[in-house]
């Protein structure tokens, strides 16, 4: 089935007239920080003062436009900025996908973020920062912050996703996540998002078959998220609530709140509050991450943040990290 889907996508792209316009763009981000880590665990890989790459990347985007249809591709690789070992790879695989968009909406295929993941990724101001991560430990500069589920991390392969055009502020999406094995245990997902003026809201659902095709969602399990936000002049707030099935009888609940405020034209403050509870998780508790981002040049920010967690299980480590760093886009 994978070959059929891929051949259909390639054939559709090749059929689009490209005489009107063609664009290509290389881009990158240097993201690095100096962290003071209190891992609260003698066996932790990182504790004390450390330099961390916060997912520096290098990417390529291209688009060709024909008669009302645009064909596009997007590839991105990790470009680790703190590698000090000769064995460190210059680039690592992140995602690659291509597709078509027009009045009909957008369809894309490849290795990409699932539609379920995207609201959490967009909402979290400390995504891919040195903070307490979704597993309650100090992250190595990658993934979501405590209070988001693990389904908000990583990329899903063989993903075929469609997003409708906006209809009175409402968009719909559906996804098929192809299982390469002969079992045909494909993952599926669907959702809706609404935006009107300062208000946004949405719901996303994801389901795996007996093989876990959607990343970080267990086999034969489901996840559902509801989310909403409000954006005013100078400040914004958003909330995400997830219920993630761990087995046929157990579920975990994730609550994530975000607030952001513009202190000045070049200075923004952000804070997140995360809560995890459930039947099986050992990381039930509450976490908070707060920080400021200062724009010092058109494409350059410096930042400082503090992230910590308080867990209900006293036997679990409760890490914290203070981080200062820079993000430069080019």
């Amino acid at each position: 089935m994978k070959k059929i889907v891929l051949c259909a996508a390639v054939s559709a792209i090749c059929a689009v007239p490209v005489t009107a316009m063609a664009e290509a763009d290389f881009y990158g981000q240097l993201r690095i920080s100096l962290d003071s880590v209190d891992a609260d665990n003698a066996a932790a890989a990182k504790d004390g003062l450390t330099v961390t790459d916060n997912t520096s990347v290098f990417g390529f985007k291209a688009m060709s436009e024909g008669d009302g249809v645009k064909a596009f591709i997007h590839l991105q690789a990790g470009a680790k900025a703190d590698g000090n070992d000769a064995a460190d790879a210059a680039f690592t695989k992140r995602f690659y996908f291509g597709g078509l968009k027009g009045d009909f909406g957008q369809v894309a295929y490849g290795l990409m973020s699932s539609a379920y993941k995207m609201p959490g990724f967009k909402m979290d101001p400390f995504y891919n920062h040195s903070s307490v991560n979704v597993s309650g430990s100090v992250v190595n500069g990658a993934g979501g912050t405590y209070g988001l589920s693990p389904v908000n991390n990583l990329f899903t392969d063989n993903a075929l996703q469609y997003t409708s055009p906006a209809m009175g502020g409402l968009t719909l999406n559906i996804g098929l996540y192809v299982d390469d094995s002969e079992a045909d245990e494909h993952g599926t997902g669907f959702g809706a998002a609404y935006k009107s003026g300062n208000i946004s809201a949405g719901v996303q659902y994801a389901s795996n078959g007996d093989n876990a095709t959607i990343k970080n969602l267990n086999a034969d399990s489901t996840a559902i998220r509801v989310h909403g936000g409000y954006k005013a002049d100078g400040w914004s707030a958003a909330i995400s609530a997830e219920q993630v099935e761990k087995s046929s009888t157990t579920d975990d609940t994730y609550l994530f709140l975000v607030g952001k405020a513009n202190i000045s034209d070049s200075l923004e403050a952000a804070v997140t509050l995360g809560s995890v509870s459930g039947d099986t998780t050992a990381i039930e508790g509450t976490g908070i991450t707060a920080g400021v981002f200062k724009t010092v040049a058109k494409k350059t920010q410096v930042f400082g943040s503090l992230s910590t967690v308080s867990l209900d299980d006293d036997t679990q480590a409760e890490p914290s990290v203070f981080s200062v760093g820079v993000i430069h886009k080019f």
Side-chain angles (χ1 to χ4, degrees):
M1 183 171 181
K2 176 186 175 184
K3 292 181 178 178
I4 295 173
V5 172
L6 182 58
C7 289
V10 171
S11 298
I13 292 173
C14 291
V16 177
V18 297
T19 56
M21 182 178 69
E23 296 180 355
D25 181 37
F26 287 98
Y27 69 92
Q29 293 187 25
L30 172 66
R31 307 167 55 94
I32 197 164
S33 63
L34 177 66
D35 306 330
S36 177
V37 179
D38 180 4
D40 194 27
N41 184 347
K46 284 193 173 183
D47 198 12
L49 199 62
T50 181
V51 174
T52 303
D53 176 79
N54 290 271
T55 312
S56 299
V57 299
F58 184 73
F60 172 75
K61 295 188 288 186
M63 181 181 68
S64 58
E65 184 174 355
D67 186 13
V69 178
K70 297 178 181 178
F72 62 88
I73 61 169
H74 191 179
L75 302 86
Q76 189 181 97
K80 194 173 181 181
D82 68 339
N84 57 5
D85 191 315
D88 286 340
F91 298 105
T92 56
K93 180 177 70 175
R94 283 182 55 78
F95 62 75
Y96 41 85
F97 59 87
L100 301 171
K101 59 183 176 181
D103 293 340
F104 58 86
Q106 175 176 299
V107 60
Y109 175 81
L111 172 67
M112 68 182 87
S113 295
S114 67
Y116 182 95
K117 168 187 169 180
M118 288 306 294
F121 169 74
K122 292 178 179 179
M123 186 181 298
D124 185 0
F126 303 103
Y127 201 97
N128 289 341
H129 276 67
S130 293
S131 60
V132 177
N133 68 0
V134 297
S135 299
S137 58
V138 175
V139 69
N140 291 327
T145 308
Y146 186 86
L148 294 174
S149 78
V151 192
N152 293 271
N153 287 356
L154 301 181
F155 304 100
T156 295
D157 200 5
N158 302 326
L160 177 63
Q161 298 187 142
Y162 168 75
T163 303
S164 75
M167 300 169 288
L170 178 69
T171 59
L172 306 176
N173 65 77
I174 187 169
L176 174 66
Y177 308 97
V178 180
D179 173 27
D180 270 343
S181 75
E182 295 180 359
D184 279 344
E185 291 290 339
H186 311 297
T188 57
F190 57 86
Y194 176 76
K195 182 174 176 58
S196 177
N198 297 337
I199 299 173
S200 62
V203 59
Q204 286 292 150
Y205 174 84
S207 176
N208 268 336
D210 289 340
N211 292 332
T213 51
I214 299 174
K215 284 295 185 182
N216 286 342
L217 180 62
N218 288 351
D220 197 26
S221 296
T222 62
I224 187 168
R225 155 189 273 131
V226 292
H227 60 93
Y230 182 84
K231 186 174 183 180
D233 290 338
W235 66 275
S236 64
I239 184 171
S240 166
E242 301 176 73
Q243 186 168 334
V244 180
E245 187 179 18
K246 302 299 287 291
S247 71
S248 60
T249 58
T250 59
D251 301 283
D252 288 343
T253 301
Y254 298 82
L255 184 64
F256 190 69
L257 295 90
V258 183
K260 295 190 288 185
N262 295 328
I263 300 173
S264 70
D265 290 342
S266 62
L267 184 64
E268 180 183 62
V271 60
T272 68
L273 178 66
S275 173
V276 180
S277 60
D279 300 310
T280 61
T281 182
I283 59 164
E284 292 180 285
T286 303
I288 186 169
T289 301
V292 291
F293 299 83
K294 172 69 173 178
T295 300
V296 295
K298 185 177 180 180
K299 295 185 178 182
T300 305
Q301 284 184 323
V302 295
F303 63 86
S305 63
L306 176 64
S307 185
T308 187
V309 65
S310 176
L311 301 179
D312 296 344
D313 186 348
D314 293 337
T315 66
Q316 298 293 319
E318 296 184 336
S320 62
V321 54
F322 174 71
S323 179
V324 293
V326 62
I327 302 170
H328 177 67
K329 300 178 180 181
F330 58 90

